[in-house]
Amino acid sequence: MTAETLNDIRLFVLDMDGTIYLGERVFPEALRFVEQIRAKGRRVLFFTNNASRDPEIYVRRLNGMGFPAAREDILTSGDVTAAYLKLHHPGESVYLVGTPALEGAFRAEGIRLTNREGGKPTERADIVVVSFDTTVTYEKLDVACNLIRTGAKFYSTHPDFVCPVEGGVQPDSGALCALLTACTGVKPRYFGKPEKETAEMISHLYGVPAEQTAVVGDRLYTDIALGKNNGLLSVLVLTGETAREDVNDANRPDIILENIGQILDYVN
């Protein structure tokens, strides 16, 4: 597949850290890309697997960096998970291993959470959902473990094992799930990138078919895999986690570019 295929794309799904900025450093070519691609009548969607924060934080952060964005321009793995729960498990109870921000987002969507202060549930939950939780406690993990062992469904917002932070990494959703799997023998159903539910939700919410959608990011196992596994154009940029030598025949994206600004060379 050649880079000229980019001219057929109507919706660009952008990873954030490592793709349009790195930490607090904004990539000038990313600012130019977002401005010009919108001027060409194309849509930009900012997607993050990090479900630990209120999405309004991303709205403020992006606008502060010079990327004009409203809430409808941002999708998180928490949004995808909540939408799936509402569609496939209406009225069922959920025990959440997640931050207060994600708990508030789930409650706002009408999801019946059994969580209460201290970690103990108010009632037995039908489903356990695990996410990136900077407020995790042993009691939360103990409750989740016993619910799963006795039949509760086991879901997770996203599969990332670590979350990059300044000076290192923090244990992420996938790491907590690995602990619970070791205790229960049960593997979770993941949402977020690279799962098919995310691709389906993007198509449903924004009305753009897969063949006219591109995923642009710096991670092979989430961003690029989302595209490769679900019929979306996958575009790897070398401004973040992945180096060219990390690419092989199994994980090869459709297109590799030095930075996101190079997309503009192929879009009329």
Side-chain angles (χ1 to χ4, degrees):
M1 189 173 294
T2 65
E4 283 71 18
T5 311
L6 288 164
N7 198 46
D8 299 326
I9 299 302
R10 313 307 302 176
L11 173 65
F12 290 89
V13 181
L14 307 185
D15 175 54
M16 289 190 269
D17 204 354
T19 300
I20 63 172
Y21 58 75
L22 192 61
E24 297 301 318
R25 179 165 63 91
V26 179
F27 298 142
E29 62 272 14
L31 292 170
R32 181 169 57 91
F33 168 79
V34 171
E35 179 184 14
Q36 293 189 20
I37 210 71
R38 284 172 167 167
K40 295 174 185 291
R42 318 301 170 96
R43 180 82 189 259
V44 168
L45 172 65
F46 302 98
F47 190 99
T48 178
N49 263 2
N50 190 341
S52 68
R53 299 174 178 173
D54 184 333
E56 289 296 334
I57 291 176
Y58 294 110
V59 173
R60 293 192 293 271
R61 178 176 172 80
L62 288 168
N63 279 281
M65 287 181 161
F67 298 100
R71 176 64 178 93
E72 58 267 25
D73 299 318
I74 295 168
L75 198 65
T76 75
S77 64
D79 293 331
V80 175
T81 307
Y84 184 89
L85 291 170
K86 289 169 63 178
L87 181 63
H88 295 283
H89 301 286
E92 293 189 48
S93 57
V94 174
Y95 184 75
L96 175 65
V97 180
T99 60
L102 184 59
E103 183 176 331
F106 273 28
R107 291 190 192 279
E109 289 295 324
I111 295 169
R112 183 159 62 93
L113 295 184
T114 66
N115 298 66
R116 68 181 180 189
E117 190 173 351
K120 288 187 179 296
T122 56
E123 60 182 289
R124 175 174 172 77
D126 302 307
I127 303 164
V128 171
V129 174
V130 176
S131 189
F132 178 33
D133 186 5
T134 54
T135 64
V136 69
T137 62
Y138 185 86
E139 187 163 23
K140 280 187 181 181
L141 296 173
D142 182 44
V143 170
C145 177
N146 282 290
L147 285 169
I148 294 165
R149 289 181 68 242
T150 54
K153 297 179 180 68
F154 183 13
Y155 291 160
S156 175
T157 56
H158 60 290
D160 300 41
F161 280 97
V162 297
C163 178
V165 294
E166 188 173 353
V169 297
Q170 290 180 313
D172 207 329
S173 175
L176 297 180
C177 288
L179 183 153
L180 291 171
T181 296
C183 294
T184 64
V186 180
K187 294 182 179 180
R189 178 172 189 167
Y190 287 110
F191 298 93
K193 298 181 287 189
E195 308 304 323
K196 68 181 179 65
E197 287 80 10
T198 290
E200 291 170 353
M201 187 60 59
I202 289 170
S203 178
H204 171 72
L205 290 175
Y206 300 95
V208 179
E211 60 270 19
Q212 293 183 325
T213 303
V215 181
V216 186
D218 68 309
R219 286 188 176 187
L220 293 167
Y221 53 92
T222 54
D223 306 317
I224 301 310
L226 175 64
K228 287 174 65 68
N229 296 348
N230 299 288
L232 315 178
L233 187 72
S234 57
V235 183
L236 175 70
V237 291
L238 302 176
T239 47
E241 177 177 304
T242 303
R244 196 177 292 271
E245 54 268 26
D246 297 325
V247 177
N248 56 48
D249 289 341
N251 62 24
R252 189 173 304 279
D254 295 312
I255 298 167
I256 303 176
L257 299 173
E258 292 297 323
N259 62 68
I260 194 172
Q262 291 184 336
I263 293 176
L264 293 170
D265 295 339
Y266 303 97
V267 179
N268 296 330

